[in-house]
């Protein structure tokens, strides 16, 4: 495929700063690799003078592979890698200038948490009030702010209070005393070294004459500062990115860097890549219409030579389960009518908790699927823990489940105490639960906290077991048990990050919804009509979860979050949960600001990313009603749908066929 005029201009641009605004599906990787090849083959630039920066090791390896196939053995000396690997190389080459010896180590995340735990002990911090993960997260955010290292303590103090500067000093002292750095230091120390040592800065400016940075919209202030130190006049920086796909503000990316590129480099040339090679024009018109509502962006309009294509379809469902049924119907039609392989079909959602009804429905219909970037719903730890409660209450002889739940939530029952009880049960040929029931009468010595925790656990089970065992009462009784467990507080005590706590709570809510759906849908388990309860639900789960993912099957529907879908493409895409509070996310609606990580504009960019994953067939789906712990609430269709041109969408209420015969009849009618 030949380069189009804009791609050609980007490849052959000469000296000076260049910003390539590469719209979705516009062939940016092809432009980057061809530009490097042109520099080497046509311009006579030594590979040693080229520094190409990517955001992941995987993309760096892919770029190296493409370049090798294009240029043969002319790559010797070129740098292609991440910001972190770039910083590591510079630090190693200048180790004598640093307060480190050459055998320094890089502290991983678990090591960082251990350091933070030492800080908690030294300062007398209650880990439940200030978890180690929170300490490390805030230090990392401060390091990536772009401030000099000596100002970071002051920033933390100003933001969180006086002790934070001391926490930071203690953390940095530990790193120095152990001849180590963390991943943020790889960039921060490199930036500071180049700032403070002009001769070293000049050495690298002499070495690298041409810089290329991919995914430029994801750059944070510290990374941009590092680039400024490395790039000499005439600033041969080729930055490639798309502000409309900037979706990582919550991770520190600053969209203002790409928006203000010309302010940073007044002589910059800006080239727009607007021809899309992926999607039909209808899909691109929908994408253009939604992103035009953002005010903070470089204006561009994607177009395609692939023809108009078909309208998008809006699927209006009654419930989340009905939404999954409608989508499963459409998948059957896509296969039957359009002969689209399952691997070319994607179900995309805003957050992981939404996967549950899709997983259940696809399994019910024996449609293979793959869930990217996480555990399948019933494999998530919090879900397995809660199901273990149900298994134990249904079968008190299930010692494995008992051992899993006895300290969830934490009850101070240590391994040694449990071992004493298990030994007694073994000697007396009794069940462990029988021993716990008679705890006060046992001739055994246990620590007071463990004894108290066991009594608490016993009382908890006895309080809830009768309600959970009563047929038709499962979701109601389970909700009452959850209220007594106060799991959100428990996760906070464990130091789980706030955004992950919310995800776990959403998952737990979906588990309740699954029970409610099971109790109220006769088709949930054939033969269980009229008596759906705890035992039947556990049997149902056994059937649902029995089939593990078969790695020999390559044709699978792809399930993933919108964030994970970035960079991918599929012939058919379902954008699900199109409701206010899901997409856009509730936090973005509450904040309603244009520069926060969860702002409406970033949510709209996420929606735009989802639309532009589709090549031929695009579906939007939403439910009129959503359940929260079994209680139905009316859902409102996403405001983003109202921004789309109505003449490009078929917006009709639809009903699931729920019948193979109906589907075959519908397929035959085409």
């Amino acid at each position: 495929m030949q380069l189009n005029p804009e791609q050609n201009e980007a490849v052959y641009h000469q000296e000076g700063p260049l910003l390539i605004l590469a719209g979705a599906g516009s062939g940016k990787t092809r432009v980057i690799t061809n530009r490097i090849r042109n520099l080497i083959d046509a311009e006579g630039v030594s590979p040693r003078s080229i520094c190409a920066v990517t955001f992941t090791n995987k993309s760096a390896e892919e770029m190296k592979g493409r370049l090798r196939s294009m240029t043969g053995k002319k790559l010797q000396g070129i740098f292609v890698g991440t910001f972190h690997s770039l910083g590591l190389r510079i630090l190693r080459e200048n180790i004598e200038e640093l307060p480190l010896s050459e055998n320094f180590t890089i502290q991983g995340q678990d090591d960082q948490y251990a350091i933070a735990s030492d800080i908690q002990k030294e300062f007398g911090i209650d880990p439940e009030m200030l978890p180690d993960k929170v300490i490390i997260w805030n230090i990392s955010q401060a390091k990536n702010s772009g401030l000099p290292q000596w100002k970071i303590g002051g920033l933390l103090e100003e933001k969180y209070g006086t002790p934070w500067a001391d926490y930071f000093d203690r953390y940095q002292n530990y790193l120095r005393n152990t001849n180590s750095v963390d991943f943020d230091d790889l960039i921060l120390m490199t930036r500071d070294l180049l700032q403070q040592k002009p001769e070293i800065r000049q050495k690298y400016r002499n070495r690298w004459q041409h810089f290329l940075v991919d995914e430029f919209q994801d750059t944070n202030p510290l990374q941009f500062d590092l680039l400024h130190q490395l790039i000499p006049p005439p600033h041969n920086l080729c930055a490639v990115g798309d502000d409309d796909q900037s979706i990582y503000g919550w991770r520190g990316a600053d969209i203002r860097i790409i928006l203000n590129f010309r302010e940073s480099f007044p002589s910059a040339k800006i080239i727009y890549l607007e021809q899309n090679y992926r999607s039909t024009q209808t899909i691109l018109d929908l994408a253009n219409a939604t992103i035009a509502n953002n005010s903070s962006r470089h204006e561009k309009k994607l177009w395609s030579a692939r023809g108009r294509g078909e309208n998008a379809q809006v699927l209006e469902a009654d419930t989340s389960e009905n939404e999954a049924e409608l989508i499963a119907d459409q998948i059957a039609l896509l296969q039957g009518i359009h002969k689209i392989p399952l691997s070319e079909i994607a179900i995309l959602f805003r957050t992981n908790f939404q996967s549950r009804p899709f997983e259940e429905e696809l399994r019910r219909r024996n449609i293979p699927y793959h869930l990217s970037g996480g555990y399948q719903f019933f494999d998530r730890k919090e879900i397995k823990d809660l199901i273990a409660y149900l298994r134990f209450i249904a079968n008190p002889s299930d010692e494995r489940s008992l051992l899993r739940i006895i300290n969830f939530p934490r009850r101070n029952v240590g391994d040694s105490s449990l071992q004493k009880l298990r030994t007694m049960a073994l000697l007396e040929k009794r069940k462990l639960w029988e021993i716990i029931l008679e705890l006060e009468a046992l001739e055994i010595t246990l620590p007071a906290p463990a004894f108290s925790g066991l009594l608490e656990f016993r009382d908890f089970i006895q309080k809830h077991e009768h309600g959970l065992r009563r047929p038709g009462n499962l979701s109601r009784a389970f909700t009452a048990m959850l209220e007594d467990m106060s799991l959100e507080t428990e996760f906070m005590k464990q130091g789980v990050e706030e955004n992950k706590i919310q995800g776990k709570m959403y998952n737990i809510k979906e588990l309740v919804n699954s029970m409610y759906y099971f109790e109220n849908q006769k088709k949930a388990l054939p033969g269980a009509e009229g008596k759906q309860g705890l035992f039947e639900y556990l049997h149902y789960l056994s059937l649902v979860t029995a089939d593990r993912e078969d790695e020999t099957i390559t044709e699978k529907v792809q399930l993933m979050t919108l964030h994970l879908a970035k960079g991918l493409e599929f012939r058919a895409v379902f954008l699900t949960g199109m409701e206010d509070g899901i997409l856009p996310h509730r936090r973005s609606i509450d904040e309603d600001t244009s520069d926060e990580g969860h702002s409406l504009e970033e949510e709209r960019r996420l929606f735009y990313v989802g639309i532009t994953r589709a090549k031929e067939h695009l579906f939007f789906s939403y439910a009129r009603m959503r359940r929260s712990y079994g209680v139905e609430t009316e859902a409102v269709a996403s405001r983003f749908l109202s921004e789309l041109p109505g003449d490009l969408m078929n917006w009709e209420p639809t009903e699931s066929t729920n019948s193979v015969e109906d589907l075959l009849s519908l397929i035959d009618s085409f």
Side-chain angles (χ1 to χ4, degrees):
M1 184 177 69
Q2 291 185 337
L3 297 171
N4 66 38
E6 292 75 23
Q7 290 175 329
N8 197 67
E9 184 181 8
V11 167
Y12 294 103
H13 173 78
Q14 298 293 312
E15 286 193 337
L18 170 66
L19 175 61
I20 302 174
L21 290 168
S26 62
K28 71 179 180 69
T29 304
R30 189 164 176 266
V31 169
I32 295 172
T33 52
N34 273 277
R35 180 171 173 81
I36 293 175
R37 180 176 67 172
N38 178 68
L39 287 171
I40 296 171
D41 290 347
E43 302 297 327
V45 173
S46 167
R48 296 179 182 277
S49 299
I50 299 173
C51 179
V53 182
T54 66
F55 271 79
T56 66
N57 290 310
K58 180 181 178 182
S59 58
E61 289 303 314
E62 289 174 353
M63 187 180 294
K64 287 177 187 176
R66 287 202 191 193
L67 287 170
R68 287 191 193 101
S69 65
M70 295 169 70
T71 62
K73 297 182 179 180
K74 298 179 180 179
L75 288 179
Q76 189 173 1
I78 192 172
F79 178 87
V80 181
T82 64
F83 275 106
H84 290 107
S85 61
L86 176 62
L88 179 59
R89 170 176 288 196
I90 294 173
L91 292 181
R92 281 177 172 167
E93 291 179 351
N94 299 276
I95 195 69
E96 70 281 353
E97 301 289 342
L98 301 168
L100 296 167
S101 61
E102 61 182 357
N103 62 338
F104 70 89
T105 56
I106 302 171
Q107 300 285 354
Q109 193 172 74
D110 289 342
D111 300 313
Q112 290 178 280
Y113 294 155
I115 299 170
S117 180
D118 289 342
I119 293 173
Q120 290 168 332
K121 294 173 184 175
E122 183 175 330
F123 286 86
I125 301 170
D126 183 352
E128 295 183 0
M129 299 300 295
L130 183 60
D132 50 16
K133 293 180 180 180
V134 174
I135 293 175
I136 295 304
W137 169 259
N138 288 325
I139 288 176
S140 178
Q141 290 293 93
K143 285 187 174 185
N144 282 289
S145 67
L147 284 177
Q149 184 165 318
W150 61 272
K151 286 188 176 181
I152 290 176
L155 170 67
L156 288 165
E157 183 176 313
E158 180 181 345
K159 192 171 182 180
Y160 302 111
T162 303
W164 275 91
D166 297 331
Y167 301 164
F168 177 72
D169 288 342
R170 174 67 184 84
Y171 176 78
Q172 289 302 114
N173 284 336
Y174 182 92
L175 294 180
R176 279 194 294 267
N177 293 337
T178 55
N179 189 38
S180 60
V181 297
D182 61 23
F183 275 93
D184 296 323
D185 286 333
L186 294 177
I187 302 176
L188 180 61
M189 292 180 70
T190 303
R191 190 280 311 269
D192 289 350
L193 174 69
L194 297 176
Q195 278 184 339
Q196 297 161 12
K197 301 288 183 178
E199 68 281 5
I200 296 177
R201 180 172 67 240
Q202 192 59 46
K203 176 176 71 173
Y204 288 101
R205 289 185 170 189
N206 292 338
R207 177 187 298 183
W208 290 314
Q209 297 295 310
H210 293 270
F211 286 81
L212 300 96
V213 181
D214 193 13
E215 303 290 358
F216 191 71
Q217 75 278 352
D218 296 333
T219 307
N220 68 35
L222 179 59
Q223 293 162 341
F224 192 51
D225 277 358
L226 175 59
L227 288 175
H228 264 296
Q229 294 300 317
L230 288 169
I231 301 173
H235 301 115
N236 290 326
L237 168 63
C238 173
V240 187
D242 182 8
D243 49 299
D244 289 335
Q245 297 186 74
S246 178
I247 57 175
Y248 294 111
W250 54 273
R251 206 166 62 185
D254 190 341
I255 192 175
R256 292 171 295 185
I257 293 172
I258 192 171
L259 293 178
N260 300 333
F261 190 81
R262 187 162 270 160
E263 293 179 19
S264 302
F265 303 101
S267 63
K269 172 76 173 178
I270 300 180
I271 297 175
Y272 294 79
L273 301 184
E274 297 174 299
Q275 182 175 359
N276 176 287
Y277 294 92
R278 174 188 300 155
S279 309
T280 63
Q281 190 59 50
T282 294
I283 291 171
L284 297 182
D285 286 346
L286 289 165
N288 290 330
T290 192
I291 204 63
N293 290 279
N294 274 7
S295 58
S296 301
R297 64 184 294 260
H298 290 285
E299 187 174 348
K300 51 188 136 359
K301 195 169 185 179
L302 297 178
W303 64 275
S304 172
R306 296 193 60 199
R308 291 224 56 84
E310 64 181 38
N311 275 12
Q313 186 168 347
V314 181
L315 306 177
E316 299 178 281
D318 293 327
T319 65
S320 58
E321 287 77 18
N322 182 223
E323 180 184 28
E325 294 167 357
L326 295 177
I327 288 175
D329 289 347
Q330 292 298 326
I331 289 172
L333 293 174
L334 288 168
Q335 281 196 293
I337 298 171
H338 299 286
K339 310 302 180 186
I340 297 179
L342 291 179
S343 59
E344 284 287 342
I345 300 173
I347 299 175
L348 308 182
F349 33 82
R350 175 62 178 83
T351 51
N352 277 308
F353 81 89
Q354 293 171 255
S355 74
R356 192 273 306 168
F358 301 115
E359 291 186 56
E360 288 193 24
E361 186 63 24
L362 292 175
R363 285 187 176 187
R364 193 172 72 84
R365 301 199 192 193
N366 294 317
I367 299 175
Y369 71 89
H370 173 71
L371 179 66
S372 298
Y375 295 105
Q376 297 188 33
F377 182 81
F378 290 103
D379 287 339
R380 290 164 183 156
K381 182 181 183 302
E382 61 274 14
I383 300 303
K384 294 180 80 169
D385 288 340
L386 290 171
I387 290 174
Y389 267 99
L390 299 181
R391 293 187 188 282
F392 173 69
I393 288 172
N395 175 21
S397 297
D398 186 350
E399 186 172 310
R400 184 178 179 185
S401 293
L402 171 57
L403 292 173
R404 184 179 185 108
I405 64 177
I406 203 163
N407 267 316
F408 177 74
R410 286 181 291 189
R411 298 186 175 92
N412 299 309
V413 182
D415 291 341
S416 60
S417 296
L418 281 173
Q419 189 56 50
K420 287 182 180 180
L421 295 175
R422 296 181 73 185
T423 300
M424 177 174 284
L426 185 64
L427 291 173
E428 297 184 9
K429 297 182 179 181
R430 301 170 70 193
K431 304 297 183 185
L432 178 58
W433 178 238
E434 294 174 352
I435 298 295
I436 294 174
L437 286 174
E438 300 176 7
L439 194 62
E440 294 92 335
L442 297 180
E443 294 182 1
I444 190 172
T445 303
L446 297 174
F451 188 83
S452 176
L454 287 164
L455 293 179
E456 177 190 331
F457 174 73
R458 186 186 68 188
D459 293 346
F460 181 87
I461 295 296
Q462 291 178 326
K463 176 181 178 181
H464 293 285
E465 60 183 343
H466 301 295
L468 286 166
R469 288 174 180 164
R470 191 161 66 246
N473 191 54
L474 180 59
S475 61
R476 205 163 34 244
F478 189 73
T479 299
M481 185 180 81
L482 290 174
E483 290 175 356
D484 274 359
M485 294 176 83
S486 301
L487 288 179
E488 190 164 1
T489 302
E490 173 66 16
F491 293 141
M492 290 176 63
K493 290 178 179 178
Q494 293 176 8
V496 180
E497 295 172 14
E498 183 180 352
N499 63 320
K500 292 184 179 179
I501 290 176
Q502 189 175 53
K504 287 177 180 290
M505 297 307 296
Y506 277 136
N507 291 338
I508 292 167
K509 185 188 299 184
E510 275 301 299
L511 181 62
V512 179
N513 291 343
S514 170
M515 295 175 190
Y516 181 89
Y517 177 66
F518 172 79
E519 290 174 313
N520 291 278
Q521 300 294 322
K522 290 184 179 181
K523 66 183 179 184
L525 185 66
E529 293 86 347
K531 60 178 182 180
Q532 289 96 327
L534 172 61
F535 302 99
E536 290 75 27
Y537 181 70
L538 289 174
H539 294 160
Y540 166 66
L541 288 188
S542 296
L543 296 176
V544 167
T545 59
D547 297 327
R548 310 318 299 164
E549 189 170 333
D550 189 345
E551 295 300 330
T552 65
I553 300 176
T554 57
E555 291 300 320
K556 301 176 185 178
V557 176
Q558 301 299 304
L559 274 64
M560 67 188 72
T561 64
L562 284 161
H563 282 96
L564 287 175
K566 187 172 177 292
L568 303 177
E569 58 183 47
F570 306 92
R571 288 180 64 185
V573 167
F574 294 88
L575 293 180
T576 66
M578 291 302 306
E579 301 149 34
D580 272 4
I582 296 180
L583 186 65
H585 196 281
R586 185 174 295 105
R587 283 174 298 183
S588 70
I589 297 172
D590 293 340
E591 290 172 4
D592 195 21
T593 58
S594 63
D595 59 355
E596 292 289 337
H598 296 288
S599 70
L600 279 173
E601 293 216 349
E602 181 152 320
E603 290 291 296
R604 192 177 282 111
R605 292 194 291 269
L606 195 57
F607 181 43
Y608 172 86
V609 165
I611 293 174
T612 54
R613 299 311 95 196
K615 297 161 73 173
E616 302 166 16
H617 307 277
L618 179 62
F619 299 82
F620 304 112
S621 68
Y622 73 95
R624 299 184 188 94
M625 304 291 290
R626 288 275 172 185
R627 291 192 193 93
S628 178
Y629 297 109
V631 178
E632 286 191 340
T633 56
E634 186 173 352
V636 178
S638 171
R639 63 193 66 192
F640 293 160
L641 290 178
S642 66
E643 298 173 352
L644 300 176
D647 61 335
L648 299 182
M649 298 187 293
N650 298 332
W651 193 309
E652 299 177 1
T654 50
E655 294 182 0
S656 171
T657 61
N658 282 314
S659 157
V660 174
E661 291 76 12
D662 290 343
L663 281 172
L664 290 174
S665 175
L666 184 57
I667 292 170
D668 290 341
S669 69
F670 279 81

